């Protein structure tokens, strides 16, 4: 049963419609979960975001603090330390992403809450019991940080062209990993890395397919340096170099040469995260714009009374609400166990639509705020920050161009 209660929003359209209107998707546990996540965000994140942005880092204890609040490990099984809400499904996931995204701060969200969420799934899907027992609980409980290391200086969306190698040792018990990884979110703090490699036999023959391997920083031969970014200032985006890093064969995820499939399955959820984040970011821009336009006066009346501003607001609402409906449709399909292969194209297009909605809304919000939208801090701080984060959202996880082409190819057009 739904526990929906009709209410009037202070700022129209500042929340997804399930907050104030009936929905077939949400039940009592979803509303309870939404309140729990919001309480954590309001207490432990909102008051400190500007300070974290200025310092370009967030406190390390946020990982374990979020875990103890029941947020950090919520989408993982209790067997490995997870704290799933009652009857957990894709809509609980959607709500968590949406509520965290009210911060308008992608650097914290990706480095703290999501980076490990795209590094762990291959271990869940095909990893050995040894790896599950060694890695999962440490990461899910916030004790250790884990990052996904796929992209290279010369290989992005074309994952099959990676150059990082893992050469088999003469005794057949280890691999020696050499190579470079680029744009690795959270990499400066990571103790574990899920790394895409191309294995090479002791005879020097490279495998034709990609493998996934867990590299622990403690193995040695792992060098990290921070990359300065336009947005996501708190993300500690990292350039990682592996130099003769000796990794036990027990750390191969699944079997040698079968890393591509779990990696591709992983992309669906990553893109769902990006889409949900981007649409809430657009909604944040809408909310901040309406709040400002109600109080700022020009030519003897509030901005919101000028037709041109009302049109900007109306077009923002139109894009946000249609994208929200698309997000919820995908979440419903997830609850119905629609296959990753079938969801690949629709999720790719969803991510494109959501980031383009964010792109539109950050621009329009900046126009409404005028000069204030160009200044860090102050009334337009969220809008200014999100304007700098648009390109990270539109490119990471698959650029618009790659994803549109992927969807059309999967439709066999």
């Amino acid at each position: 049963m739904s526990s929906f209660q009709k209410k009037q929003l202070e700022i129209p359209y500042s929340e997804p419609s399930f907050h104030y209107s009936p929905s077939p998707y949400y039940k009592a546990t979803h509303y309870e979960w939404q309140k729990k996540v919001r309480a954590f965000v309001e207490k432990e994140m909102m008051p400190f975001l500007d300070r974290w942005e200025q310092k370009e880092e967030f406190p390390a204890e946020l990982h374990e603090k979020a875990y103890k609040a029941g947020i950090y490990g919520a989408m993982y099984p209790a067997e490995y330390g997870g704290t799933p809400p009652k009857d957990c499904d894709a809509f609980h996931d959607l709500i968590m992403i949406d509520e965290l995204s009210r911060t308008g701060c992608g650097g914290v969200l990706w480095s703290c809450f999501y980076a490990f969420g795209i590094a762990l799934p291959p271990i869940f899907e095909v990893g050995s019991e040894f790896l599950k027992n060694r890695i999962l609980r440490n990461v899910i409980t916030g004790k250790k940080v884990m990052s996904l290391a796929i992209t290279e200086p010369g290989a992005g969306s074309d994952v099959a062209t990676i150059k990082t190698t893992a050469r088999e040792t003469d005794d057949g018990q280890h691999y020696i990993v050499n190579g470079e990884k680029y744009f690795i979110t959270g990499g400066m703090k990571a103790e574990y890395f899920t790394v895409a490699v191309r294995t090479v036999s002791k005879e020097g023959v490279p495998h034709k397919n990609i493998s996934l391997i867990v590299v622990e920083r403690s193995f040695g031969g792992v060098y990290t340096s921070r990359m300065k970014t336009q947005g996501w200032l708190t993300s500690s985006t990292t350039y990682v170099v592996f130099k003769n890093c000796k990794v036990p064969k027990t750390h191969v995820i699944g079997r040698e040469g079968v890393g591509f499939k779990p990696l591709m399955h992983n992309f669906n959820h990553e893109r769902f995260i990006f889409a949900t984040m981007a649409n809430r970011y657009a909604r944040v821009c809408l909310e901040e714009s309406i709040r400002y336009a109600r109080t700022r006066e020009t030519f003897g009346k509030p901005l919101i009374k000028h037709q041109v501003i009302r049109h900007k607001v109306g077009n923002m609402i139109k894009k946000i609400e249609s994208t929200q409906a698309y997000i919820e449709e995908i979440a419903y399909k997830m609850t119905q166990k629609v296959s990753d292969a079938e969801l690949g194209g629709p999720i790719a297009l969803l991510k494109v639509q959501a980031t383009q909605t964010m792109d539109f809304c950050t621009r329009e919000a900046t126009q409404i705020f005028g000069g204030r939208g160009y200044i860090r801090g102050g009334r337009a701080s969220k809008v200014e920050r999100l304007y700098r984060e648009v390109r990270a959202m539109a490119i990471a996880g698959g650029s618009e161009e790659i994803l549109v082409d992927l969807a059309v190819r999967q439709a066999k057009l």
Side-chain angles (χ1 to χ4, degrees):
M1 287 288 293
S2 168
S3 64
F4 156 75
Q5 293 181 345
K6 188 172 179 63
K7 61 181 179 181
Q8 186 74 33
L9 297 179
E10 178 190 353
I11 305 291
Y13 298 100
S14 60
E15 302 285 4
S17 63
F18 78 88
H19 285 254
Y20 57 86
S21 183
S23 168
Y25 298 127
Y26 300 91
K27 54 184 183 287
T29 60
H30 295 122
Y31 291 92
E32 292 164 6
W33 177 237
Q34 181 269 324
K35 291 175 183 175
K36 180 174 181 176
V37 181
R38 179 158 299 194
F40 174 81
V41 171
E42 289 294 328
K43 179 182 178 182
E44 304 293 351
M45 299 183 72
M46 286 295 198
F48 313 112
L49 290 168
D50 287 342
R51 190 186 316 163
W52 294 345
E53 277 283 296
Q54 290 169 7
K55 294 174 63 177
E56 299 190 3
E57 64 178 359
F58 61 90
E61 57 266 25
L62 184 62
H63 295 271
E64 291 192 75
K65 186 177 288 188
Y67 175 75
K68 290 174 182 175
I71 311 298
Y72 195 79
M75 295 302 122
Y76 300 95
E79 176 186 1
Y80 296 106
T83 57
K86 183 181 178 181
D87 300 327
C88 187
D89 63 15
F91 285 95
H92 290 91
D93 191 21
L94 187 163
I95 287 168
M96 183 177 76
I97 299 164
D98 182 71
E99 287 295 324
L100 289 170
S101 299
R102 290 178 58 252
T103 60
C105 191
V108 172
L109 299 193
W110 270 103
S111 281
C112 185
F113 294 93
Y114 305 143
F116 77 95
I118 59 174
L120 286 184
I123 300 178
F124 273 108
E125 184 176 345
V126 297
S128 65
E129 286 303 309
F130 167 79
L131 276 182
K132 289 177 181 177
N133 291 329
R134 183 177 179 87
I135 303 295
L136 296 183
R137 182 174 290 274
N138 279 335
V139 175
I140 290 168
T141 58
K143 290 181 171 60
K144 301 281 188 179
V145 175
M146 189 172 196
S147 292
L148 181 69
I150 306 299
T151 302
E152 299 184 356
S157 296
D158 51 344
V159 176
T161 63
I162 64 165
K163 303 297 184 186
T164 298
T165 59
R167 189 182 183 101
E168 186 181 22
T169 56
D170 290 340
D171 63 8
Q173 300 300 307
H174 295 80
Y175 287 113
I176 304 300
V177 178
N178 282 283
E180 303 167 82
K181 298 294 181 180
Y182 236 34
F183 311 130
I184 308 307
T185 302
M188 294 302 294
K189 299 178 181 179
E191 294 293 330
Y192 306 135
F193 297 88
T194 295
V195 186
V197 300
R198 195 172 301 281
T199 57
V200 180
S201 70
K202 66 180 79 175
E203 292 78 25
V205 180
H207 202 291
K208 64 178 181 179
N209 296 324
I210 288 172
S211 298
L212 293 178
I213 192 168
V214 174
V215 174
E216 300 184 27
R217 188 185 288 268
S218 61
F219 290 161
V222 180
Y223 302 90
T224 56
S225 57
R226 187 160 183 175
M227 305 177 77
K228 289 289 187 180
T229 52
Q230 179 184 55
W232 286 14
L233 301 185
T234 51
S235 71
S236 67
T237 300
T238 307
Y239 173 38
V240 184
V241 177
F242 302 107
K243 290 184 180 179
N244 297 322
C245 178
K246 190 175 183 179
V247 182
K249 276 194 169 182
T250 53
H251 280 55
V252 172
I253 302 175
R255 293 183 291 111
E256 181 184 9
V258 294
F260 195 77
K261 188 174 180 180
L263 198 57
M264 293 301 104
H265 289 171
N266 201 29
F267 284 148
N268 275 355
H269 187 250
E270 179 183 12
R271 290 163 185 163
F272 180 76
I273 294 172
F274 271 114
T276 306
M277 288 177 68
N279 206 50
R280 173 52 92 162
Y281 287 169
R283 197 180 295 278
V284 167
C285 289
L286 170 67
E287 179 181 2
E288 295 299 309
S289 295
I290 294 173
R291 182 176 285 112
Y292 179 69
R294 281 175 166 178
T295 58
R296 172 76 162 111
E297 290 195 1
T298 60
F299 304 103
K301 59 183 177 181
L303 272 181
I304 198 66
K305 298 300 182 182
H306 291 280
Q307 187 180 55
V308 67
I309 300 299
R310 295 165 73 88
H311 283 188
K312 286 181 182 295
V313 168
N315 284 322
M316 292 163 75
I317 293 169
K318 176 182 66 177
K319 291 177 182 291
I320 292 165
E321 292 302 307
S322 61
T323 303
Q324 185 71 29
Y326 194 172
I327 291 169
E328 291 179 342
E329 178 191 353
I330 293 295
Y332 177 73
K333 289 181 178 181
M334 289 176 170
T335 67
Q336 300 306 299
K337 310 302 181 186
V338 174
S339 70
D340 283 312
E342 188 176 340
L343 284 174
I347 289 180
L349 293 178
L350 170 62
K351 197 254 184 183
V352 173
Q353 178 169 318
T355 54
Q356 288 182 345
T357 297
M358 177 187 173
D359 195 353
F360 177 84
C361 291
T362 54
R363 183 190 186 281
E364 293 298 85
T366 301
Q367 291 298 113
I368 290 171
F369 272 97
R372 281 183 172 85
Y374 194 66
I375 304 299
R376 295 190 185 186
R379 296 187 67 178
S381 61
K382 286 185 180 179
V383 170
E384 185 277 330
R385 182 164 64 236
L386 289 173
Y387 192 87
R388 286 185 283 108
E389 296 192 1
V390 170
R391 297 273 61 85
M393 299 292 290
I395 295 170
S399 68
E400 294 174 358
E401 295 78 9
I402 291 293
L403 295 186
V404 170
D405 185 61
L406 167 68
V408 173
R409 284 190 289 108
Q410 286 197 351
K412 299 183 178 176
L413 297 178

